[in-house]
Amino acid sequence: MVLLIACANAASLLLARANTRRREFAVRLALGAQRARLVRQLLTESLVIAFLGGALGVGLAFGGVKALVALLPTGFPRAHEIHVSLPVLAFTFLITAMAGVLFGLVPALQSSRIAPGQGLHEGGRTTTSGGRVGRLRNALVIAEVSLACVLMIGAGLMMRSLLNLLHLDPGFREQHVLTASLSLPVVEYKTPAVVSHFYEQLTENLSSLPGVESVGAGSDLPWTGYDENLDGFTIEGKQPPLHQHFHGRYHVATAGYFQALGIPLVSGRFFNDADKPGAPSVVIINHTMAVKYWGSENPVGRRVDFFEDHPTEKGWTTVIGVVGDVKDQPDSPGAEPAFWWPNLQQLWPFPEMSLVIRAGADPESVIAGMRETVTRLDPALAVADVREMDQIVQGQATTPRFAFVLVGLFAGLAVLLAAIGIYGVIAYSVSQRTPEFGLRMAMGAQRSDVLRLVLMQAAALVLSGTAGGIVLALMLGHVLKSLIYEVSPTDPLTLAAVGAIVLAVAFCACSIPARRATRVDPMIALRAE
């Protein structure tokens, strides 16, 4: 899209330049030059401009790629392999040649159609911009502004989406929380009892470390891609809708897991030491599951069987608590139904667990103690993925932040190119209409009248382009739906802000030629005419 804007800009400027050379082309045609030769000359000139611009762009690309790679999200696949390669240079050469032909062809064909008699009759006069060439230049400027608006609207929507993600309530308190992962070897930790006993002993020992407020272990951490689902369980006294099944994300957690993460208790209680093997089976569910399957009823004390279609009394599991919702990912539409089994009542081994330690001050201060505690229990184990919960939360905003920077960069470049296009067209129009302005002022027009004429011409172009860009952005809104969060593609605030920014930039671009028009000396302008 930026390339199209650049091509439209170059075509507009080349049209203006070709219009000033009408007498030259008329003389050459009158002397016997072939029209095809004129076309070849103008295309050659446009290709030279294109390749000079392409060479400058390649030079900027080497530095720009390094800067963009530095902004990539952590863990971006094969980021170290991203560079300007030979195939990229070959593609750039091809695109540059196509761009040179694209923005040079229209001016070349337009200039080759000049009638020698008409061109010579014009003599030293300059033609007005109100003819076919002027309309074509105006159309190119309108197209530039429209495309720039589309990119600006995309950048604005992504900025609003990024702000929404940064101010999102995650459903837990990520401050002062240290996380790590452990993977127990299956050879030594074969049964659920052995696995659960190890994690109970580990969390108990970790809770005695200085500065530790609460400790827990769970099958996963929020926002890390966990999406294990259990489908088809039975809820006492409930029937699923026709052709549907009860389902939910299943997890395992120790006592203290929810407290360490700061996930709030909505009703009931958390796990405690009484939830052990031989005790009644219990489960904690999230708020979404409570509302989805029990509606306005209180699910605490109700029973679920996760594995039998016709459960026996022994197979029932009692809901003992409801906790707040935590979505799978921050930009997920909503939380999925989810439930947690207590660690000591594991139905099958969960050897891979995540540790969660809430510290009173700096979480990094307990890293050494955590590693020593694990080593004392089993010297063969290694603690992996040690990081603060803050890092996990901030990492979720890295990709949208990078996308916003990238789109914003292109949008800013597009607006700059559109501003150059507007400046070029208005400046050329002012130079062509200098005799007209001189005549108006000689007949009593004020400088403010001339200024208003120029600004009205620019306003017509910019308003048409802005309106077209907004309409085009609305038509392409469905493309952005998957890239934005909690903001509509038709967000009126974004559309209004983009419109205001484009108008302000356009005003700055056309103010210089507009002021130049007001300084026209009527006598000099009429003498030149």
Side-chain angles (χ1 to χ4, degrees), residues 188-204:
E188 299 178 18
Y189 298 86
K190 297 180 180 180
T191 65
V194 174
V195 171
S196 61
H197 176 72
F198 172 85
Y199 282 112
E200 288 296 322
Q201 189 176 3
L202 175 61
T203 54
E204 182 179 349

Side-chain angles (χ1 to χ4, degrees), residues 119 210 374 391:
V374 172
Q391 295 175 277

Side-chain angles (χ1 to χ4, degrees), residues 340-362:
W340 289 259
W341 290 307
N343 173 60
L344 288 173
Q345 294 183 357
Q346 289 187 23
L347 300 176
W348 59 83
F350 281 81
E352 297 182 5
M353 297 273 271
S354 297
L355 300 177
V356 185
I357 303 174
R358 177 169 294 278
D362 183 11

Side-chain angles (χ1 to χ4, degrees), residues 221-304:
L221 294 171
W223 296 3
T224 54
Y226 182 88
D227 59 356
E228 297 296 331
N229 210 58
L230 186 64
D231 185 61
F233 50 81
T234 303
I235 297 179
E236 188 177 27
K238 301 289 182 180
Q239 292 294 327
L242 188 64
H243 305 303
Q244 295 185 29
H245 302 280
F246 294 125
H247 66 90
R249 300 270 195 264
Y250 67 85
H251 312 262
V252 168
T254 66
Y257 173 82
F258 298 103
Q259 297 93 318
L261 274 176
I263 299 176
L265 182 68
V266 177
S267 62
R269 67 172 177 86
F270 290 126
F271 295 135
N272 56 37
D273 294 337
D275 303 317
K276 57 187 179 181
S281 299
V282 295
V283 69
I284 290 177
I285 65 175
N286 68 352
H287 182 257
T288 293
M289 183 169 176
V291 172
K292 186 177 180 68
Y293 298 143
W294 281 275
S296 59
E297 301 176 31
N298 184 4
V300 176
R302 304 302 177 91
R303 300 194 299 179
V304 182

Side-chain angles (χ1 to χ4, degrees), residues 226-504:
Y226 182 88
D227 59 356
E228 297 296 331
N229 210 58
L230 186 64
D231 185 61
F233 50 81
T234 303
I235 297 179
E236 188 177 27
K238 301 289 182 180
Q239 292 294 327
L242 188 64
H243 305 303
Q244 295 185 29
H245 302 280
F246 294 125
H247 66 90
R249 300 270 195 264
Y250 67 85
H251 312 262
V252 168
T254 66
Y257 173 82
F258 298 103
Q259 297 93 318
L261 274 176
I263 299 176
L265 182 68
V266 177
S267 62
R269 67 172 177 86
F270 290 126
F271 295 135
N272 56 37
D273 294 337
D275 303 317
K276 57 187 179 181
S281 299
V282 295
V283 69
I284 290 177
I285 65 175
N286 68 352
H287 182 257
T288 293
M289 183 169 176
V291 172
K292 186 177 180 68
Y293 298 143
W294 281 275
S296 59
E297 301 176 31
N298 184 4
V300 176
R302 304 302 177 91
R303 300 194 299 179
V304 182
D305 190 296
F306 292 102
F307 303 104
E308 298 293 337
D309 292 334
H310 304 286
T312 61
E313 189 65 26
K314 185 179 179 181
W316 289 111
T317 299
T318 303
V319 177
I320 61 167
V322 178
V323 295
D325 288 330
V326 177
K327 295 190 289 188
D328 292 344
Q329 297 292 340
D331 57 351
S332 299
E336 293 290 328
F339 56 89
W340 289 259
W341 290 307
N343 173 60
L344 288 173
Q345 294 183 357
Q346 289 187 23
L347 300 176
W348 59 83
F350 281 81
E352 297 182 5
M353 297 273 271
S354 297
L355 300 177
V356 185
I357 303 174
R358 177 169 294 278
D362 183 11
E364 292 188 359
S365 62
V366 301
I367 292 179
M370 175 187 66
R371 292 186 184 277
E372 291 175 5
T373 302
V374 172
T375 302
R376 282 199 301 268
L377 287 177
D378 189 337
L381 293 180
V383 180
D385 299 326
V386 179
R387 52 184 171 170
E388 295 182 34
M389 199 66 203
D390 277 330
Q391 295 175 277
I392 297 176
V393 172
Q394 293 170 7
Q396 292 298 320
T398 304
T399 299
R401 185 183 290 114
F402 176 75
F404 164 68
V405 170
L406 197 60
V407 175
L409 179 65
F410 286 127
L413 182 58
V415 171
L416 177 62
L417 290 174
I420 294 172
I422 294 169
Y423 171 83
V425 167
I426 299 303
Y428 180 75
S429 174
V430 167
S431 68
Q432 295 293 84
R433 298 175 67 185
T434 296
E436 174 195 341
F437 295 147
L439 182 59
R440 286 177 180 272
M441 296 177 71
M443 296 181 65
Q446 301 298 315
R447 295 183 185 276
S448 59
D449 297 327
V450 175
L451 182 64
R452 185 167 57 252
L453 280 175
V454 177
L455 292 179
M456 285 179 62
Q457 178 188 0
L461 298 177
V462 175
L463 289 175
S464 299
T466 303
I470 291 176
V471 171
L472 185 59
L474 293 176
M475 293 172 60
L476 298 175
H478 64 280
V479 178
L480 287 173
K481 278 188 176 180
S482 61
L483 301 175
I484 56 179
Y485 171 73
E486 291 292 326
V487 60
S488 169
T490 60
D491 178 50
L493 180 61
T494 302
L495 299 180
V498 168
I501 291 173
V502 171
L503 289 175

